[in-house]
Amino acid sequence: MTATEDLFTPIHKGLRSMLYNLSSRLQTNDFADATATAALATDLEHDFAVARSAGCVLCVMGKHASDEETQIFVAPPLAGQRLVTELIEEHHDLTRRELALEKGVHDISGLRSSEERVAAGRRLNAAANELLVAYLNHMNREETELTPFMQQHLTDAEMLGMQGKIIASMPPDRLFAILGWMLPSLNVTELSRLLASVRPNAPPPFFQAVTDLCAARVEPSRWQNVKLRVGL
Ligand SMILES: [Fe+2]
Ligand SMILES: [Fe+2]
């Protein structure tokens, strides 16, 4: 019988929101404005690299790729498959694009003339758009090509085991940074199911922290609806 677990879609929804947010901040910035551009650059450098914190955008994306490679892609039916090899190559390409974007943001802080900043801002937007396209395509491949393969060749229990290992290996601050993007990106049914499945076995303070995060980040009417469905 075909399994039904899908390890990629929920986390990818969070990553998509993270990328859309980055794209939106870049495309609305007026690079002719030195103050606004300096503030954006500081903000993005902090998000990307300086902090190297649990929630750092590039750290989250990099950790996601390494979690996939170490906990999922190495499973016997997957390891060595052409699709998996290609997905790993895509991870390397995405890392190169992320580092180039990080450098572009860093370099823009040093530009003095409005013309130079506007030109650099145009290049930065183009680089971010290309990263977005490549990243969206990559996640689509994992969801539309790899998930069906995994559902054919693995059991739900095996997939949940992989997911459990990934979650158990995450420091709590990184887990909550990722949940902060993922929870508001799920639809009512997905979020209700997730909370209902976590609730029975989670320590009460952990579950409370997750619902507090939902209250803070999920769109209020959607959260209201989820609370009704889950009985919170
Ligand atoms: Fe991936
Ligand atoms: Fe992925």
Side-chain angles (χ1 to χ4, degrees), residues 163-207:
Q163 188 179 51
K165 278 192 193 158
I166 291 173
I167 293 170
S169 74
M170 276 185 198
D173 53 351
R174 187 176 332 117
L175 177 61
F176 276 85
I178 291 170
L179 289 175
W181 284 103
M182 191 180 106
L183 299 171
S185 305
L186 301 177
N187 68 36
V188 170
T189 298
E190 291 165 335
L191 185 53
S192 304
R193 281 191 188 145
L194 178 75
L195 294 180
S197 71
V198 168
R199 194 182 196 179
N201 302 313
F206 175 83
F207 190 72

Side-chain angles (χ1 to χ4, degrees), residues 21 28 44 48 51 66 80 86 94 123 137 139 141 146 155 158 193 197 204 229:
N21 175 265
T28 51
L44 288 182
F48 283 173
S66 78
E86 288 174 5
L94 293 169
R123 290 194 296 274
N137 269 327
M139 292 189 289
R141 288 195 77 189
L146 191 57
T155 64
E158 286 170 327
R193 281 191 188 145
S197 71
R229 289 207 199 177

Side-chain angles (χ1 to χ4, degrees), residues 153-165:
H153 294 90
L154 293 166
T155 64
D156 283 331
E158 286 170 327
M159 285 192 264
L160 288 173
M162 292 170 173
Q163 188 179 51
K165 278 192 193 158

Side-chain angles (χ1 to χ4, degrees), residues 64-65 68 73 91 138 142:
H64 173 67
E68 287 175 342
F73 294 177
H91 283 172
H138 175 75
E142 288 176 340

Side-chain angles (χ1 to χ4, degrees), residues 34-48:
T35 311
T37 301
L40 174 81
T42 307
D43 219 24
L44 288 182
E45 279 200 86
H46 179 83
D47 275 3
F48 283 173

Side-chain angles (χ1 to χ4, degrees), residues 58 90-103 126-135:
L58 300 188
E90 289 179 9
H91 283 172
H92 297 157
D93 173 62
L94 293 169
T95 304
R96 278 191 291 274
R97 291 176 187 278
E98 288 158 16
L99 293 175
L101 194 63
E102 185 177 10
K103 184 174 181 312
N129 290 338
E130 282 171 18
L131 168 66
L132 192 76
V133 168
Y135 217 114

